[in-house]
Amino acid sequence: MTTSAGCETVAGAGATGISVDAQARPMVVFTLCNDHIDGATIYRDRLTTDPKGEDSSVPVADWNAISPITPGNAMKASLSTAEPSQSWSRVGAVEALRPGVRYVVYGWTRDNTWSTAAVEFTLERLSRLKPGQVLTQTYVQATGKDVDTVQSYRQFESSTCAVTS
């Protein structure tokens, strides 16, 4: 599994999912098949109201892992977008998530050698999740499109590495 980051190809270390906590606030979850990630980023498409820029996307929030997130600790290192975490440290300003906006989140390494497959979400799609459910996307070759997949944490963890190995 590889993902594209700019003009480079970055090896895939696992997958990113999005869930909600008991208060329906977004929680980012990861499952790693190999290596590690050092951070996570949520971004959105650039809007006409945004300042002009070279990139077509705008970062919304960034986090650094307190220590590398590995296959052994990934499922215990969920990232709350609303609360401080033992595993993550927020970096810089955070833009509030807004209805009707498409967001993407993924995990990455500082040296750009590994990343997790990203997950796309909107607040409307998250409103249909219950705590313990994880939203991901699955590519359907026949249609050439990604479709939403909702599964339990356990299914997310077990199916990701079975698909990518």
Side-chain angles (χ1 to χ4, degrees):
M1 170 173 66
T2 59
T3 56
S4 177
C7 295
E8 303 170 33
T9 299
V10 179
T16 310
I18 190 91
S19 186
V20 294
D21 66 13
Q23 290 78 38
R25 299 175 300 191
M27 299 282 297
V28 183
V29 293
F30 300 96
T31 185
L32 295 173
C33 308
N34 55 57
D35 217 83
H36 74 282
I37 57 173
D38 299 312
T41 298
I42 297 176
Y43 64 91
R44 63 169 173 78
D45 291 336
R46 186 174 295 281
L47 305 173
T48 56
T49 55
D50 289 323
K52 298 282 185 224
E54 292 180 19
D55 293 332
S56 62
S57 62
V58 174
V60 171
D62 284 298
W63 292 266
N64 286 331
I66 302 299
S67 60
I69 307 300
T70 66
N73 68 10
M75 287 305 284
K76 295 179 186 89
S78 60
L79 191 163
S80 170
T81 62
E83 300 286 330
S85 167
Q86 293 181 14
S87 300
W88 298 94
S89 171
R90 190 173 290 158
V91 178
V94 175
E95 179 181 300
L97 301 179
R98 297 174 296 189
V101 177
R102 181 185 74 94
Y103 296 97
V104 178
V105 60
Y106 74 105
W108 43 264
T109 54
R110 285 184 185 88
D111 64 2
N112 210 28
T113 55
W114 296 97
S115 68
T116 56
V119 63
E120 177 184 303
F121 68 96
T122 63
L123 292 180
E124 293 79 8
R125 285 151 73 190
L126 289 184
S127 72
R128 296 189 289 267
L129 292 179
K130 296 179 179 109
Q133 293 181 319
V134 179
L135 172 69
T136 61
Q137 277 84 44
T138 302
Y139 180 74
V140 178
Q141 192 166 357
T143 63
K145 296 183 178 180
D146 289 318
V147 296
D148 284 356
T149 303
V150 176
Q151 54 194 332
S152 70
Y153 283 121
R154 187 175 301 276
Q155 291 168 319
F156 173 62
E157 182 179 33
S158 65
S159 67
T160 298
C161 295
V163 170
T164 61
S165 56

